[in-house]
Amino acid sequence: MPTLAPPAHLAATRRDDVWLIGLVSLAHGTSHFTQLLLPPLFPWLKVEFAVNYAQLGALLTIFFVVSCAVQAFSGFWVDKHGPRPVLFAGLGLLVLAAAGFASSTSYAALAACAVVAGLGNGVFHPVDYTLINRMVAPPRVGHAYSSHGISGNLGWALAPALLAPLALAYSWRVALWVAVGFAAAVWLLLWTQRQRLVLPALPGLTKAGKEQESGFDFLRIPAVWVCFAFFLFFAMVLSGIQAFAPEAARQLHDVPLAWVAQCLTIYMVCAAAGMVGGGFLANNPARGERMVALGMGVAAGVALILAFASLPAAAVPVLFGVMGLASGSVSPARDMLVKRSTPANASGRVYGVVYSGLDIGQAIAPLLFGRLMDLHQPQSIWIGIAGFQILLITTAFQVHRVRRQT
């Protein structure tokens, strides 16, 4: 079985860990914030550039395809050069892309900026998890994963809450320039604290050992590819819930239109709350597979209830909250599964490949679930979500099985 990296953080204090977790979480939240720069502004962009929603959606496809490719390879850069320079490069590209969006005068310019944004977004998971796994003391790693996941949810929540009101009050360009200011402020804050992001070298590695560990040997570890499949299915679930589940619930259960967006907000807030509790439980690695099974089992059960039961409209937001709480509690254990499958000094590469499954899933899922909605099959949306949640359970236990065989 592959061994984990030697703990370079044994001398770290609780204060050091809190600072590191906070900085990494802030960077992660900013990356999620920039993922949703354009969708809240689609109504304005549609008019400004005389395009349809399919063309606007293609900007997101460009973003995630580029991000996927970068994520798979950025782990090599992280392992070779350290996470700090890669982090600042990624954040800088996000600032540049946001400024490009704000000043764009054509659809082609938006597409070019989507490429730049994808380049920047692709570095964060290899950077973040390398810093957490190598520098945070083991008793606090579960809490670090929890904080990391919560910050991503908050980034997703902040973008529409900030940009849409600004666009209504002023213009879509003003909204995006405010986003530029926010991302630039985060970059500057991290720069002032850059010494806290220096990764200590692993002791005891010979030159030959370093050369060997910088290659592709980790790709022969079966658990890496099972983890990749896990994140692919996880992204399919998340994308289905974010993009189509609220509208599918409205059609099935006559949910008032004003409640539809609130269902997703409730889901995200409850998912963040679940991550807090999941961070405590994830500190015991032996619980990982069982936590995934319990959380996703509850979530799949809720999805099937929403698919087949006759429900009053008022019950739907409550069930979104239950599903969010159950799904969120799984996130820290999910990250611990990857950590336990990561060989020494390959954290960046493993997380880069594994988390590229998220981008692929987010690129594929809208095509699948969108087709079901076009065919007027809202029930199938929930059946599909439940099916992928069940696949997550079986995949988590498969990770455990192949890891034991290694």
Side-chain angles (χ1 to χ4, degrees):
M1 185 178 91
T3 58
L4 297 178
H9 44 55
L10 291 180
T13 65
R14 181 184 296 272
R15 185 171 180 272
D16 293 330
D17 282 354
V18 169
W19 264 104
L20 180 71
I21 293 168
L23 293 172
V24 169
S25 296
L26 179 60
H28 184 235
T30 304
S31 77
H32 278 231
F33 172 79
T34 55
Q35 287 177 18
L36 292 185
L37 284 184
L38 296 185
L41 303 177
F42 276 176
W44 290 271
L45 299 177
K46 183 175 184 292
V47 174
E48 179 75 17
F49 297 102
V51 294
N52 56 39
Y53 281 113
Q55 289 171 299
L56 291 172
L59 296 174
L60 301 182
T61 300
I62 292 170
F63 174 91
F64 282 113
V65 168
V66 174
S67 179
C68 173
V70 171
Q71 189 151 223
F73 288 101
S74 63
F76 290 86
W77 305 332
V78 169
D79 289 337
K80 183 175 182 179
H81 302 291
R84 187 175 67 169
V86 180
L87 171 63
F88 283 113
L91 267 176
L93 287 170
L94 292 182
V95 174
L96 180 63
F101 285 139
S103 56
S104 290
T105 58
S106 68
Y107 178 81
L110 289 176
C113 293
V115 173
V116 176
L119 290 172
N121 185 74
V123 309
F124 283 92
H125 286 128
V127 164
D128 296 349
Y129 285 108
T130 296
L131 287 168
I132 289 172
N133 291 342
R134 291 273 299 278
M135 295 181 69
V136 175
R140 291 186 282 274
V141 168
H143 300 297
Y145 290 158
S146 176
S147 176
H148 186 264
I150 291 169
S151 70
N153 278 25
L154 293 178
W156 278 331
L158 176 61
L162 176 67
L163 299 179
L166 285 172
L168 285 168
Y170 302 101
S171 72
W172 66 269
R173 292 190 188 274
V174 169
L176 284 172
W177 280 117
V178 171
V180 173
F182 171 76
V186 171
W187 192 99
L188 289 172
L189 175 60
L190 291 175
W191 181 257
T192 65
Q193 301 298 321
R194 59 191 180 278
Q195 292 305 316
R196 298 182 183 275
L197 301 171
V198 177
L199 187 68
L202 285 172
L205 282 179
T206 65
K207 181 178 180 180
K210 290 180 181 178
E211 290 175 353
Q212 182 180 8
E213 291 196 346
S214 66
F216 294 85
D217 289 350
F218 76 100
L219 294 177
R220 293 200 293 266
I221 301 172
V224 169
W225 293 108
V226 182
C227 288
F228 171 87
F230 183 95
F231 278 82
L232 176 67
F233 298 145
F234 191 90
M236 299 286 280
V237 170
L238 181 61
S239 183
I241 291 171
Q242 287 181 329
F244 299 108
E247 175 61 19
R250 185 189 72 80
Q251 294 183 20
L252 286 170
H253 305 293
D254 295 324
V255 177
L257 188 61
W259 292 10
V260 172
Q262 298 304 316
C263 287
L264 183 57
T265 299
I266 290 169
Y267 176 91
M268 300 306 296
V269 170
C270 289
M275 290 175 193
V276 175
F280 288 93
L281 296 174
N283 282 326
N284 182 347
R287 296 193 187 113
E289 296 82 8
R290 287 174 288 169
M291 285 183 61
V292 171
L294 178 61
M296 284 300 159
V298 171
V302 171
L304 291 174
I305 290 172
L306 285 162
F308 293 106
S310 178
L311 300 169
V316 173
V318 176
L319 289 174
F320 266 84
V322 173
M323 185 164 55
L325 191 67
S327 298
S329 68
V330 166
S331 293
R334 172 202 72 185
D335 295 331
M336 192 67 77
L337 289 175
V338 184
K339 175 179 169 62
R340 293 173 68 194
S341 303
T342 303
N345 209 33
S347 186
R349 283 165 284 159
V350 170
Y351 278 89
V353 169
V354 166
Y355 271 83
S356 65
L358 281 178
D359 290 336
I360 295 174
Q362 286 178 301
I364 294 174
L367 303 176
L368 171 63
F369 289 118
R371 179 59 178 163
L372 291 174
M373 289 297 288
D374 288 339
L375 293 173
H376 306 291
Q377 296 183 15
Q379 187 180 58
S380 297
I381 298 292
W382 286 105
I383 295 172
I385 288 171
F388 285 118
Q389 288 166 331
I390 293 169
L391 280 174
L392 283 171
I393 298 173
T394 60
T395 307
F397 283 103
Q398 183 71 3
V399 173
H400 177 71
R401 186 183 69 82
V402 298
R403 192 173 59 239
R404 290 184 62 186
Q405 294 176 352
T406 305

